[in-house]
Amino acid sequence: MKQHDLISLETLSLADITAYCDLATRVESLPEREKSMLAMGKILMTLFYEPSTRTRLSFESAIAKLGGRSIGFADHQVSSASKGESLADTIKVVENYADIIVIRHFLEGAAKCAANAARIPVINAGDGTNQHPSQTLLDLFTIRRDFGTLSGLTIALVGDLKYSRTIRSLMQSLLGFGGNRFYLVSPENLRLPSYVREQLSINGQSVEETNELREVLPYCDVIYMTRVQKERFGDLIEYEKVKDSYCLEARMLGAAKKGLRVMHPLPRVNEISMDVDSTPYAAYFEQVRNGVTMRQAILLHLLGIAL
Ligand code: NCD
C-alpha cells in the first residue's frame, strides 16, 4: 500500500494523528478566499457502495471549498458493479478520471483492496464493521479542540461496540495516547470484540466494561454514543432486542462533569434525546462542522498540497 492512502488507524502513528490535527487547525484559520485556491483543478472521485449523508457530502463540500471538484456515485446500483465488474477493475478505470478516490464499501478490507489496485491516493470512508478513519480524525480533532489534549481523559463508548466501525477506529487511535480511562458501555451481546480489548490491555489502558451508562456518567469527560448498526444484524429479532438499549436525556446530565462533551458520529436514531441538543454538552453538530475542516486537511495532505 502506498504511503499516501488513508485506510486504517492502525497504520497511523501518534505523530501522524497529531500532524493531521495540526493541519486541520491551520486549515481552519485560513481565510475562505485563500482556501478556495488550494486544490484548484483537482478532482475527487466518490465511490459509495453503502448509504451515506455526512461522509460523502462533507468530502464533496471539502474539495469544493478548496477549489476542486467531485464526481462519482452515491449508489453502486447505478454503477457497473451491478453488471458484475470487480472492485479492482472499477478502480483501474476511475483513477483515470480523478486525482484522489474516497470509497465506502460494505465489505471489510475493500478500501485496502482499492488502494492496492490504485495508483492515486485512496481514502477509506468506511469498510463494513472495520474502520472509518476520517470520522476518527474529525472526532480526535473535536476532542483536542475542547480539551487541548488526547491524553488523561475519561471516555465512555456507548452502544454498539461490536459492529460500529467508528468505535473500532477511535479505540485504536487512542491506544498510543497515554493515561486515558475507558468505560465500554453496551449490552452483553454488543461488547467490543475481544481482540480490540486485548490491544487496549497490552497498551496498559484502563478499561472497564459495564451495562450501565448512569453509573459511569458522572466521571466522564467524553460520552461517545453510537447507533445500533441494524444493517449488520443477520437476525432482526436480535436487533429489536437491543436497539433502544441507551437513550441519553437532558435530565440525566444533571450528574455530569462541567466540561462533559457528548459526541455521536450520527445518524442518531434514539440514542440521544433532542432535549440534549440545546445543552452545552452537545458536541455532535460541532463534529459535523469539524468534519469538513478535517477532510480538507486529509485531502490536502494526500494530494501533496503543502500549506
Ligand atoms: C457512521 C458510519 O457510517 O459508520 N456514520 C458516519 O459516517 N458519520 C456511523 C453510523 O452509521 O452509525
Side-chain angles (χ1 to χ4, degrees):
M1 203 161 63
K2 301 172 298 299
Q3 280 289 309
H4 57 288
D5 299 308
L6 179 62
I7 303 301
S8 165
L9 259 305
E10 281 168 303
T11 55
L12 287 191
S13 68
L14 218 112
D16 293 332
I17 292 172
T18 306
Y20 267 122
C21 289
D22 291 346
L23 183 55
T25 306
R26 292 206 296 285
V27 168
E28 193 170 37
S29 67
L30 277 186
E32 289 301 323
R33 216 170 54 84
E34 221 173 293
K35 262 191 256 186
S36 72
M37 288 180 283
L38 288 171
M40 196 104 77
K42 297 290 184 191
I43 298 179
L44 168 71
M45 176 67 65
T46 56
L47 307 180
F48 278 70
Y49 294 79
E50 263 197 340
S52 170
T53 300
R54 272 149 298 274
T55 307
R56 185 175 61 83
L57 293 178
S58 67
F59 266 114
E60 291 185 0
S61 171
I63 192 80
K65 284 168 182 261
L66 292 171
R69 295 186 50 205
S70 57
I71 55 176
F73 54 79
D75 174 4
H76 70 287
Q77 298 299 343
V78 300
S79 81
S80 284
S82 65
K83 300 181 191 170
E85 183 169 64
S86 73
L87 179 59
D89 276 5
T90 301
I91 296 295
K92 288 198 168 89
V93 170
V94 302
E95 67 180 356
N96 296 288
Y97 310 149
D99 301 286
I100 185 162
I101 295 170
V102 56
I103 180 169
R104 169 170 287 186
H105 204 284
F106 46 86
L107 290 178
E108 290 80 9
K112 192 167 182 195
C113 282
N116 288 340
R119 285 178 285 113
I120 62 175
V122 173
I123 300 167
N124 181 6
D127 60 327
T129 61
N130 188 30
Q131 290 273 318
H132 194 347
S134 69
Q135 177 69 46
T136 294
L137 287 173
L138 79 86
D139 292 341
L140 296 175
F141 179 53
T142 303
I143 296 173
R144 202 183 78 161
R145 266 172 123 254
D146 284 333
F147 294 95
T149 176
L150 292 168
S151 304
L153 300 170
T154 300
I155 303 173
L157 301 161
V158 186
D160 188 344
L161 310 187
K162 181 176 180 186
Y163 295 119
S164 168
R165 54 195 173 202
T166 61
I167 291 284
R168 208 164 299 183
S169 291
L170 186 61
M171 290 303 285
Q172 275 164 344
S173 73
L174 286 165
L175 282 178
F177 293 92
N180 290 312
R181 181 181 178 81
F182 295 101
Y183 291 118
L184 307 178
V185 187
S186 72
E188 292 297 333
N189 52 351
L190 293 179
R191 292 275 191 241
L192 194 71
S194 54
Y195 82 93
V196 186
R197 242 187 8 248
E198 274 155 30
Q199 283 177 328
L200 290 168
S201 328
I202 291 166
N203 280 271
Q205 307 272 355
S206 157
V207 184
E208 215 175 289
E209 282 186 327
T210 171
N211 299 347
E212 289 301 328
L213 176 57
R214 279 172 198 274
E215 278 174 17
V216 300
L217 189 145
Y219 308 105
C220 292
D221 299 302
V222 174
I223 297 181
Y224 194 98
M225 303 294 295
T226 56
R227 171 181 72 89
V228 177
Q229 309 277 295
K230 183 178 182 183
E231 64 276 34
R232 313 286 177 215
F233 282 72
D235 179 355
L236 282 185
I237 297 171
E238 286 306 306
Y239 167 74
E240 290 296 327
K241 282 188 204 153
V242 287
K243 69 174 185 181
D244 292 324
S245 298
Y246 302 100
C247 178
L248 189 64
E249 294 171 22
R251 63 189 169 87
M252 295 160 69
L253 292 167
K257 269 187 173 178
K258 190 157 171 277
L260 167 74
R261 303 310 327 267
V262 175
M263 299 178 70
H264 194 306
L266 302 179
R268 71 175 145 182
V269 184
N270 289 322
E271 308 79 49
I272 303 178
S273 146
M274 273 162 64
D275 62 7
V276 178
D277 297 3
S278 54
T279 71
Y281 307 112
Y284 26 97
F285 294 116
E286 286 165 41
Q287 283 170 269
V288 174
R289 196 174 55 241
N290 294 336
V292 178
T293 309
M294 178 49 86
R295 286 176 173 127
Q296 287 178 322
I298 293 168
L299 289 168
L300 290 171
H301 175 67
L302 297 180
L303 286 166
I305 299 168
L307 205 63

